[in-house]
Amino acid sequence: MASSSLTQFGSFGRSLQRTRGWIGLSKWFYNIAGFNKYGLMKDDTISERFPEVKEAIKRLPEDVYNDRMFRIKRALDLSLKHRILPKEEWTKFDEDKSYLQPYIDDVLAEWKEQREWNKQ
């Protein structure tokens, strides 16, 4: 699946995410990954090759979709120029909110419901 978060593990994953060690490790990995240096958010990096992600992107509100495309195009431009944003413009770990994952979860739930309905 396209999900890179621990939400797929249910309450265990959510409680694990809240622990200090996990948050510290998450922040470290977030900064090491480097996408934030281009102004990208974590959900901007989810691959569109998965059908559930393509469908979720289609369902995004127009302003959220436009913001996503702006961030991706800016990141591509910076990458081609071998540059990064000034540090004050990097996406911060605490400000990076999941905007796409809820839509992916909805799509997967709908598809599961459709499969179950079709079995009847």
Side-chain angles (χ1 to χ4, degrees), residues 26-44:
S26 295
K27 284 183 179 181
W28 175 81
F29 182 76
Y30 186 86
N31 288 317
I32 291 298
F35 59 84
N36 63 321
K37 296 173 185 172
Y38 295 99
L40 292 171
M41 297 176 80
K42 181 177 57 178
D43 282 3
D44 295 336

Side-chain angles (χ1 to χ4, degrees), residues 1-2 45-55 57 68:
M1 302 222 176
T45 65
I46 299 174
S47 177
E48 294 182 32
R49 69 179 176 202
F50 299 102
E52 62 269 22
V53 176
K54 284 183 184 178
E55 181 60 31
I57 290 170
R68 171 189 169 83

Side-chain angles (χ1 to χ4, degrees), residues 8-82:
Q8 62 189 345
F9 296 112
S11 62
F12 171 74
R14 287 188 292 277
S15 65
L16 182 62
Q17 286 177 317
R18 289 186 207 111
T19 63
R20 272 198 162 133
W22 180 254
I23 290 173
L25 184 62
S26 295
K27 284 183 179 181
W28 175 81
F29 182 76
Y30 186 86
N31 288 317
I32 291 298
F35 59 84
N36 63 321
K37 296 173 185 172
Y38 295 99
L40 292 171
M41 297 176 80
K42 181 177 57 178
D43 282 3
D44 295 336
T45 65
I46 299 174
S47 177
E48 294 182 32
R49 69 179 176 202
F50 299 102
E52 62 269 22
V53 176
K54 284 183 184 178
E55 181 60 31
I57 290 170
K58 289 179 189 175
R59 297 180 184 195
L60 288 173
E62 185 176 359
D63 60 325
V64 176
Y65 175 80
N66 289 338
D67 290 346
R68 171 189 169 83
M69 294 311 298
F70 171 78
R71 288 189 303 271
I72 292 171
K73 287 179 182 181
R74 178 180 58 185
L76 288 171
D77 183 56
L78 287 166
S79 178
L80 288 171
K81 294 176 180 177
H82 300 281

